[in-house]
Amino acid sequence: MWDYSEKVLELFYNPLNQGAIADLNEPDVSVVYGEVGSIACGDALRLHLKIQVSADTVLDARFQTFGCTSAIASSSALTEIVKGKTLDEALNLSNQDIAEYLGGLPEAKMHCSVMGQEALEAAIYKYRGIAIADHADDDGTLLCTCYGISEPKVRRIITENQLTTVEQVTNYIKAGGGCGSCLAGIEDLLLEAQSPETVAVAVAQQNNLSQSSNHSAPFATANPSTSTLASPPLTTIEKIMQIQQVIDDEVRPVLMADGGDVTLYDVQGDRVLVKLQGACGSCSSSTDTLKYAIEAQLQRRVLSTLVVEAIAH
Amino acid sequence: MVIYLDNNATTCIDPDVLAAMMPYLSDFYGNPSSMHSFGGQVGVAVQDARRQVAQLLGAEDTEIIFNSCGSEGNNTAIHAALAAQPDKRHIVTTAVEHPAILNVCKHLEKKGYTVTYLSVNEQGELDLMELEAAMTGGTALVSTMYANNETGVIFPVEQVGAIAKYYGATFHVDAVQAVGKVPIDLKSSTIDLLTLSGHKLHAPKGIGALYVRRGFRFRPFLLGGHQERGRRAGTQNVPGIVALGKAAELAQQYLQSVDTEEDHRNTLENQLLATIPDCAVNGGGAPRLPNTTNIGFKYIEGEAILYMLNREGICASSGSACTSGSLDPSHVLMSMGLPYTILHGSIRFSLSRFTTAADIQQVLAVMPDIVNRLRDMSPFSNDQAGWLQERDLVRAG
């Protein structure tokens, strides 16, 4: 048997928030669900959210899960975690948050927590009118054909969870768990993630986590990739210069290759205001662009607390 | 109180078997190969056990080689068969064999051998036409299981053997799941080599045997001393051998009354099908072992069922991916082409002569509620949103 925590077993045997949410057409309330997985893959989750539109907040969350003990417990945990959060806060939840809430998961079962995080994202994207097909993870080369997992998704999971082995990648998202023909590709991505530059950022993140390890809030160690970099803190002018440099050197070339562009408009504290231009300005997946192509990059390269917003033209 | 219905994984040691072997763990510790009488009396016990095993199989004493387990028996058989006809480089086996066969074959493919993996149909049955089409003059070995460990489906081994003999191939049978559960008579059989394992028939783990037909050109796999007439080196596991002998004797007696076990199995199977909708017996249309039923419960996942059963003190087994290190469900059920709706939620209940009617009633009492609870959670049970795809409902392919 697997070495499940008491919390996992408790939520498996007595799941909270199981079922669907009926859409009663209440004023200022929207009901939506997100789906991930499939019966072919062996686990699937339909996450239902009841959202207060005016507050952009999750009022209620429920789940329907096809899967094992840890999949059911992870789904139940997710519904508890997400209730009361704004949608932006919810989007910042990581699979590690779910695993930590459960008191940990066996590494071979981490993909259950990833499934939860993805269902949450799917539901919110659906609510915001962003087609799942436009999700950044689904773009790019398909790496694992057995489980339909793209290269960007593998890259993101490696970074977010600081994975170092192929086995870990398989445990977290199943990639490589089928025919095995993508194992070499996963190894390449792991090596890429362990390049000197990436390692330096990881070390800085680890230092920062160590310094802040005395807090006890349940999500205090949320996504390491979004943790604050090590001191000294940036002055305002340094922050702006670094943001400008990352945008010019690393973000714009990528966007321009797809016919888009971005310019820095202003920096107000940790709010980075940008103008999306060209194809990006009219793209249905512009929220993805903001979140993954710009915000995530600035968080990695400059400051983890930065939030990127697009302003109207 | 544990209700143990995972006997195809391993069995309890029969108290009479334990009693028979105990003196050989304490007082009679001599080496059966020694020339002195202290070892000699142990050697007699080994020979008695050899006779008991041979009688269970309808074989001659000299045709039994004691070894450590089923995996060793299978490895030995395959290598012996290939050594017997070194000019032949083709092996035929099935897609639903135990890893102790499949992984050896995969290894041999890397060494230059060609292996044909025969498919099975939805009932888990072999197609003898496919076998015949695969055979060539270069086929050195046909290796099939007697009965499948997951579904209990019994292969037509004598018909397979007849085809193998026609093409001059050695015929090996992995009978680990069948020995002690169905009568086997090797006197008039086409089988050249047959594997069995002690812990599947109420002997301890760590003891097995390989039947080698008299006259077969056998080459040992494990080299060393002259134990087992030079066919398997290594000091004999005397307590295990004595235990296997006693277990074989008891199994032979029990085979006269195996109907009880089959009755329990049928009660379990029929009642589960009657009380729980949307479930089916995997391989239910084929000849099967009397102790095994493998039931697929649609729309839910096997590990979750096992954990619910475990909380009730019931031990069973699942072919789901989540119970294993692999991410794919059982290769056996996959090979049968079961739909995904049933593939991940299949549970194997395997009984033994120690299974009681009360055990069965307890399983029947808890299973409907377990299935209902999990189906209530499953998005596929009431798939109003049409999440299931056509391919999930037909064949996994």
Side-chain angles (χ1 to χ4, degrees):
Chain A
M1 299 190 77
W2 297 101
D3 185 20
Y4 287 135
S5 69
E6 289 295 320
K7 189 71 174 174
V8 168
L9 293 175
E10 178 194 327
L11 285 178
F12 169 64
Y13 290 126
N14 303 294
L16 301 170
N17 312 314
Q18 168 200 334
I21 298 177
D23 190 350
L24 303 175
N25 293 315
E26 299 169 63
D28 195 29
V29 166
S30 183
V31 173
V32 69
Y33 67 78
E35 293 175 336
V36 292
S38 74
I39 203 164
C41 288
D43 42 29
L45 166 60
R46 182 179 288 151
L47 177 71
H48 303 257
L49 297 180
K50 183 175 184 179
I51 296 166
Q52 184 161 39
V53 176
S54 58
D56 209 32
T57 300
V58 177
L59 291 174
D60 194 12
R62 290 179 174 272
F63 76 92
Q64 292 173 294
T65 295
F66 165 82
C68 62
T69 307
S70 55
I72 289 169
S74 294
S75 304
S76 190
L78 171 64
T79 55
E80 282 293 281
I81 292 169
V82 78
K83 274 194 276 188
K85 291 216 169 344
T86 67
L87 297 190
D88 284 340
E89 287 171 339
L91 278 173
N92 277 327
L93 290 173
S94 72
N95 66 292
Q96 294 287 356
D97 295 326
I98 297 169
E100 284 171 21
Y101 183 90
L102 291 169
L105 284 169
E107 192 157 272
K109 295 288 191 172
M110 283 301 290
H111 60 262
C112 297
S113 67
V114 173
M115 182 170 74
Q117 189 270 333
E118 290 181 344
L120 177 60
E121 212 168 62
I124 294 174
Y125 274 46
K126 190 172 178 183
Y127 170 71
R128 289 183 169 176
I130 301 166
I132 297 300
D134 294 335
H135 191 300
D137 275 357
D138 294 324
D139 295 338
T141 311
L142 196 62
L143 185 63
C144 174
T145 53
C146 296
Y147 291 99
I149 300 169
S150 68
E151 199 172 290
K153 179 172 177 177
V154 175
R155 192 178 278 118
R156 176 171 66 82
I157 293 296
I158 288 172
T159 305
E160 286 184 356
N161 295 283
Q162 297 184 8
L163 306 183
T164 56
T165 67
V166 173
E167 290 74 20
Q168 285 179 318
V169 172
T170 303
N171 289 336
Y172 275 66
I173 48 172
K174 294 191 169 185
C179 71
S181 61
C182 62
L183 294 176
I186 296 172
E187 272 180 355
D188 288 346
L189 295 184
L190 285 164
L191 287 170
E192 179 189 303
Q194 288 162 10
S195 67
E197 185 182 68
T198 314
V199 171
V201 172
V203 169
Q205 289 168 346
Q206 192 57 48
N207 290 342
N208 180 262
L209 285 176
S210 302
Q211 288 162 15
S212 59
S213 62
N214 55 353
H215 48 58
S216 57
F219 310 121
T221 55
N223 192 351
S225 68
T226 58
S227 301
T228 310
L229 291 172
S231 55
L234 298 171
T235 64
T236 302
I237 192 70
E238 285 174 334
K239 190 193 298 179
I240 293 171
M241 288 176 66
Q242 286 192 23
I243 290 170
Q244 184 68 62
Q245 186 171 355
V246 170
I247 287 177
D248 287 343
D249 294 348
E250 298 173 34
V251 176
R252 291 188 65 218
V254 176
L255 300 185
M256 289 171 76
D258 287 329
D261 202 354
V262 63
T263 56
L264 181 62
Y265 178 76
D266 197 3
V267 176
Q268 299 170 356
D270 281 347
R271 289 177 69 211
V272 181
L273 306 180
V274 298
K275 277 185 182 175
L276 293 174
Q277 294 164 326
C280 293
S282 57
C283 178
S284 60
S285 59
S286 59
T287 304
D288 282 0
T289 306
L290 278 179
K291 186 171 181 231
Y292 292 106
I294 307 175
E295 186 179 272
Q297 188 71 352
L298 289 174
Q299 286 175 344
R300 273 195 295 270
R301 304 285 286 119
V302 182
L303 196 62
S304 70
T305 49
L306 294 178
V307 177
V308 176
E309 298 171 22
I311 62 164
H313 295 280
Chain B
M1 177 63 182
V2 170
I3 296 173
Y4 186 76
L5 298 178
D6 196 16
N7 287 281
N8 285 11
T10 197
T11 57
C12 66
I13 301 178
D14 187 301
D16 288 343
V17 169
L18 186 63
M21 72 183 286
M22 284 304 282
Y24 297 90
L25 286 164
S26 54
D27 299 342
F28 302 107
Y29 56 84
N31 190 324
S33 298
S34 298
M35 293 304 293
H36 47 69
S37 59
F38 188 61
Q41 62 185 339
V42 173
V44 170
V46 169
Q47 288 313 108
D48 287 346
R50 200 181 305 280
R51 176 181 43 76
Q52 289 166 310
V53 172
Q55 284 182 352
L56 176 63
L57 301 176
E60 297 173 17
D61 298 3
T62 54
E63 293 176 317
I64 302 300
I65 302 173
F66 289 118
N67 57 24
S68 67
C69 62
S71 293
E72 184 188 327
N74 287 337
N75 272 264
T76 303
I78 291 174
H79 284 92
L82 299 180
Q85 300 191 83
D87 52 326
K88 296 184 175 183
R89 309 284 288 179
H90 179 227
I91 301 166
V92 176
T93 188
T94 82
V96 296
E97 297 298 310
H98 188 275
I101 295 289
L102 291 177
N103 286 335
V104 178
C105 287
K106 286 174 189 165
H107 171 75
L108 289 167
E109 283 184 284
K110 293 176 186 166
K111 300 284 183 185
Y113 285 88
T114 304
V115 182
T116 300
Y117 299 92
L118 302 175
S119 62
V120 294
N121 65 14
E122 283 187 1
Q123 292 299 331
E125 297 169 307
L126 283 181
D127 178 353
L128 294 177
M129 298 287 282
E130 186 186 353
L131 167 65
E132 185 127 28
M135 297 298 295
T136 74
T139 305
L141 168 69
V142 175
S143 178
T144 67
M145 49 190 8
Y146 199 112
N148 187 265
N149 50 317
E150 295 194 29
T151 61
V153 169
I154 296 173
F155 283 163
V157 288
E158 292 307 331
Q159 291 168 267
V160 172
I163 295 170
K165 296 290 100 180
Y166 180 80
Y167 286 91
T170 299
F171 183 38
H172 165 246
V173 171
D174 174 1
V176 163
Q177 288 296 344
V179 172
K181 295 172 189 165
V182 291
I184 294 175
D185 185 6
L186 293 171
K187 279 191 189 71
S188 56
S189 171
T190 54
I191 297 170
D192 295 309
L193 303 159
L194 180 140
T195 303
L196 67 91
S197 178
H199 75 105
K200 307 289 190 183
L201 64 152
H202 302 290
K205 297 159 188 69
I207 183 66
L210 178 67
Y211 159 85
V212 180
R213 174 171 293 284
R214 188 155 61 94
F216 180 79
R217 190 180 167 198
F218 183 83
R219 295 289 179 272
F221 182 58
L222 196 57
L223 301 173
H226 289 89
Q227 295 90 349
E228 299 297 302
R229 299 171 63 227
R231 295 181 299 175
R232 196 272 188 183
T235 303
Q236 286 131 318
N237 168 13
V238 175
I241 289 170
V242 171
L244 179 57
K246 186 64 179 177
E249 179 187 301
L250 293 173
Q252 195 167 13
Q253 293 168 10
Y254 183 68
L255 279 172
Q256 312 305 316
S257 60
V258 75
D259 286 352
T260 309
E261 193 174 309
E262 188 166 13
D263 288 347
H264 287 334
R265 191 276 308 269
N266 291 343
T267 299
L268 174 64
E269 193 172 279
N270 295 335
Q271 288 297 309
L272 286 177
L273 294 182
T275 55
I276 300 175
D278 288 327
C279 60
V281 178
N282 299 323
R288 283 180 297 150
L289 293 174
N291 79 317
T292 308
T293 184
N294 189 311
I295 303 181
F297 299 92
K298 283 188 179 178
Y299 313 124
I300 54 178
E301 196 275 336
E303 185 203 292
I305 301 173
L306 288 188
Y307 268 74
M308 293 274 189
L309 281 171
N310 187 64
R311 196 164 68 149
E312 303 291 340
I314 297 167
C315 306
S317 170
S318 166
S320 87
C322 277
T323 58
S324 66
S326 164
L327 289 173
D328 285 330
S330 147
H331 72 285
V332 175
L333 302 183
M334 291 273 280
S335 298
M336 291 165 68
L338 297 176
Y340 284 116
T341 44
I342 209 164
L343 198 56
H344 294 277
S346 291
I347 299 293
R348 178 185 71 187
F349 299 100
S350 48
L351 288 59
S352 81
R353 60 177 179 258
F354 295 99
T355 303
T356 66
D359 293 341
I360 298 303
Q361 289 308 314
Q362 182 58 20
V363 178
L364 290 171
V366 302
M367 269 304 284
D369 182 55
I370 288 173
V371 173
N372 284 339
R373 288 188 64 188
L374 292 171
R375 283 185 178 163
D376 279 349
M377 277 187 242
S378 170
F380 299 121
S381 299
N382 185 11
D383 190 36
Q384 291 172 335
W387 197 357
L388 288 175
Q389 303 294 308
E390 184 63 26
R391 65 178 186 135
D392 302 327
L393 302 171
V394 282
R395 285 174 66 94

